[in-house]
Amino acid sequence: MSSRRRPRAGHLRAASFGILLGILLAVDGRPANMSAHKDKNPSSREDNEILPQDHLNGVKMEMDGHLNKDFHQEVFLGKELEEFEEDSEPKKSRRKLVEIFNKVDFNKDNSVSAKEMQRWIMEKTEEHFQEAVRENKLSFRAVDPDGDGHVTWDEYRVKFLASKGFNEKEVAEKIKNNEELKVDEETQEVLESLKDRWFQADNPPADQLLNEEEFLSFLHPEHSRGMLKYMVKEIIRDLDQDGNKELTLSEFISLPMGTVENQQAQDIDDDWVRERKKEFEEVIDTNHNGIVTMEELEEYMDPMNEYNALNEAKQMIAVADENQNHSLELEEILKYSEYFTGSKLMDYARNVHEEF
Ligand SMILES: [Ca+2]
Ligand SMILES: [Ca+2]
Ligand SMILES: [Ca+2]
Ligand SMILES: [Ca+2]
C-alpha cells in the first residue's frame, strides 16, 4: 500500500466502503449456507441495489473522488450504453450510431453543433435519472417488504447486513431486542457512513423514515440539491488534507489510499496525474485561482448543469473534429466511434464499405 498519505478516519471509511462494494460486486451472491433461499435469480444484484454505489451514471466524479472515465460515453449514449458493450455486432452498432447521429443532429444539416450536442447531453442525463427512478422502485420494494411506503433505519440496516452475509432473521431479532450486534470494524464503519447519509436523505420534517423519493436521494444523491451538497462534503472530507474545506491541486491529485485495488499503480501513472490536473485546472476550478471550493465542486458534480453540458459537448467535438469546423459530421463520429461508444467501428465500416 502506498503511504503517500496518512490514513484518517474519513479515508478508512471511504476505503472500507470501496472494499465492501468491491466484495459485493465480485462475489456472486453470498455463501450458500447463509442464503435464506436459493432461487434462480442471484440475490446479489438486488442486494447491491439497496446500497449507494460508488459510480453514478452521468456524473463526472465517482463517490470515492476518482474521475468517471466513462462519463462522455454515458452522456452520449444514455440508456443505450449497454447496446455497445463488447459482444454487440459491429454492423448493428454502426447502424445504431448512425441513428444516434441523426437524432443529435436536431436541425438535420448533417452536422452536430456544440449546442445540439449540449441539448442531447441534457436529454441523456434526464434519461439516466428516469432509469434511476425506475430502478429505485424495485430497490425500495426490496427494503420495504410490507409495502407501507416507509422504511426505518433499522429495517434498512437488517437488509444491509443480510447483504453482507449475516443471517437476516437473527439480525432482525437482535435489533428488535436491542441486543448488541457483533459486526467487524469495517462493516461498522460502513454502517456509520450509511447512517449519516440515511439521515441526510430524510427530508424535513425529519421522521427518521425514508419514503420512496427520499430513498432515491439516498441511492442517487446527484439529483437532489441537499444530497448533492452532502456528497460534495464527503468528497472534500476525503481529499482535503489541511482541513480548510477547499482543495488545492496537490490535494486533488493525491487520493486517499486504498480506495481502489491498484491505487499504487495509479498513483505513479503519469497519465492519470496529467488527466486529473487538466480536469482540476480547466474544468473544476472555474475561476482559475488554483483553489477548488465546495461551490465549484458542487457545480461540477451537478449532472443537470447546462454550462457543464456545453463544455462537455465542446470537448467531445474537439476530440473528433478532424476538419476543424467545430461540428461533428457522421464520418468523424464513425472514425472516433471508440471514443463515443467504446466500440471500434471504423475498420469495420471500411471493410464493408461496398455493402452501403
Ligand atoms: Ca446540426
Ligand atoms: Ca485543503
Ligand atoms: Ca476556484
Ligand atoms: Ca467537423
Side-chain angles (χ1 to χ4, degrees), residues 7 39 74 94 97 143 156 192 211 225 242 256 278 286 289 312 350 353:
D39 43 6
E74 288 167 4
R94 188 188 193 276
L97 188 53
V143 292
Y156 178 78
E192 273 160 28
N211 60 25
R225 192 42 73 176
D242 61 5
K278 192 167 177 257
T286 40
N289 68 344
E312 186 64 25
R350 201 172 289 135
H353 195 250

Side-chain angles (χ1 to χ4, degrees), residues 77-80 123-132:
L77 296 176
K79 63 177 168 24
E80 246 94 69
E123 240 173 69
K124 295 288 113 176
T125 304
E126 177 62 27
E127 216 173 85
H128 282 304
F129 179 58
Q130 293 309 330
E131 191 74 19

Side-chain angles (χ1 to χ4, degrees), residues 173-188:
E173 197 60 29
K174 278 192 175 166
I175 287 180
K176 206 175 116 199
N177 300 330
N178 247 328
E179 279 174 55
E180 202 198 332
L181 292 170
K182 284 194 190 71
V183 298
D184 52 290
E185 200 181 329
E186 196 182 300
T187 308
Q188 190 55 39

